[in-house]
Amino acid sequence: LRGTTFGGLHRKVVDAMTNNETWFFRDCHPFTALSDGVIPDLMKKRAAERRLSIWSAACSSGQEPYSIAMLLRDKFMVPDWTFSIRATDISTHILERAKRGIYTHMEVNRGLPATMLAKHFLKNGAQWELKPAVRSMVDFELINLSQPWSNVPPADIVFLRNVLIYFELETRKRILSQVRRVMRSDGYL
């Protein structure tokens, strides 16, 4: 019982301490590179498999993996291709929020083109809700990047943005070493 109580308290402390600053298509350039170079290159390389796996690490409230999902739906949905998007974070609270796919007006106005808002969201009172087709493309999971993890399947693309700055050098090295083990040899970070 004490372990369970500590676990719950520990989880609340972690949830309170995490920085969840994010927005749709943040910094634009990574998504342009993904759309114009990375995905076309990998689709050629994976023509026989017809499958791409993407991992959004430290995904916060989901804007990054959902941006990837919208980009895939708009530009790369072709018959017999499978795209899997795994999104992970250390905060259970923020992952639950991400799974719901509901965002405020301010959140959808940060980086999300109006055409994508109209195409992929439904107005829900004062908020905006992602359509099920987009939400269903993303699987959310709890992962603490600074601890050993073994349940991450091989990934073609890893988004590991705006998180390593919070770790000391040795922890960064350990995280990147683990990421390298799950990335396919010709994958992209």
Side-chain angles (χ1 to χ4, degrees), residues 12 24-25 27 34 38 52 54 85 89 92 96 100 103 120 122 141 165 177 180 183:
K12 288 178 183 179
F24 290 99
F25 296 95
D27 304 324
L34 190 66
V38 173
L52 285 181
I54 302 167
I85 304 170
D89 201 273
T92 54
E96 287 305 315
R100 287 190 298 271
Y103 298 95
H120 297 293
L122 299 170
E141 181 181 337
I165 59 172
S177 176
R180 181 65 193 108
M183 279 186 63

Side-chain angles (χ1 to χ4, degrees), residues 21-24 63 103-112 126-128:
E21 178 67 15
T22 187
W23 58 87
F24 290 99
Q63 284 94 321
Y103 298 95
T104 65
H105 187 71
M106 184 183 86
E107 289 169 322
V108 297
N109 277 336
R110 290 183 75 194
L112 184 66
Q127 299 179 319
W128 293 89

Side-chain angles (χ1 to χ4, degrees), residues 130-153:
L130 269 161
K131 291 181 178 178
V134 177
R135 283 198 332 265
S136 69
M137 292 179 69
V138 182
D139 293 313
F140 291 94
E141 181 181 337
L142 181 73
I143 288 184
N144 180 347
L145 293 174
S146 68
Q147 299 297 316
W149 25 271
S150 59
N151 60 339
V152 178

Side-chain angles (χ1 to χ4, degrees), residues 32-96:
T32 301
L34 190 66
S35 175
D36 295 349
V38 173
I39 292 176
D41 177 58
L42 286 172
M43 287 181 81
K44 288 178 192 171
K45 292 176 180 177
R46 307 287 187 269
E49 299 171 42
R50 303 185 71 74
R51 177 175 179 74
L52 285 181
S53 175
I54 302 167
W55 177 24
S56 172
C59 71
S60 188
S61 50
Q63 284 94 321
E64 180 176 271
Y66 287 138
S67 294
I68 296 167
M70 287 183 280
L71 186 147
L72 290 170
R73 288 193 68 76
D74 288 354
K75 294 191 76 174
F76 297 102
M77 294 306 276
V78 292
D80 301 324
W81 269 89
T82 302
F83 298 99
S84 66
I85 304 170
R86 171 168 291 203
T88 63
D89 201 273
I90 191 173
S91 170
T92 54
H93 169 75
I94 205 71
L95 285 171
E96 287 305 315

Side-chain angles (χ1 to χ4, degrees), residues 9-21 89-91 93-94 166:
L9 178 60
H10 180 258
R11 188 66 26 222
K12 288 178 183 179
V13 169
V14 167
D15 286 345
M17 291 179 59
T18 54
N19 173 0
N20 298 306
E21 178 67 15
D89 201 273
I90 191 173
S91 170
H93 169 75
I94 205 71
Y166 298 105

Side-chain angles (χ1 to χ4, degrees), residues 177-189:
S177 176
Q178 289 186 99
V179 167
R180 181 65 193 108
R181 283 195 292 276
V182 301
M183 279 186 63
R184 292 186 62 175
S185 62
D186 59 351
Y188 287 86
L189 174 65

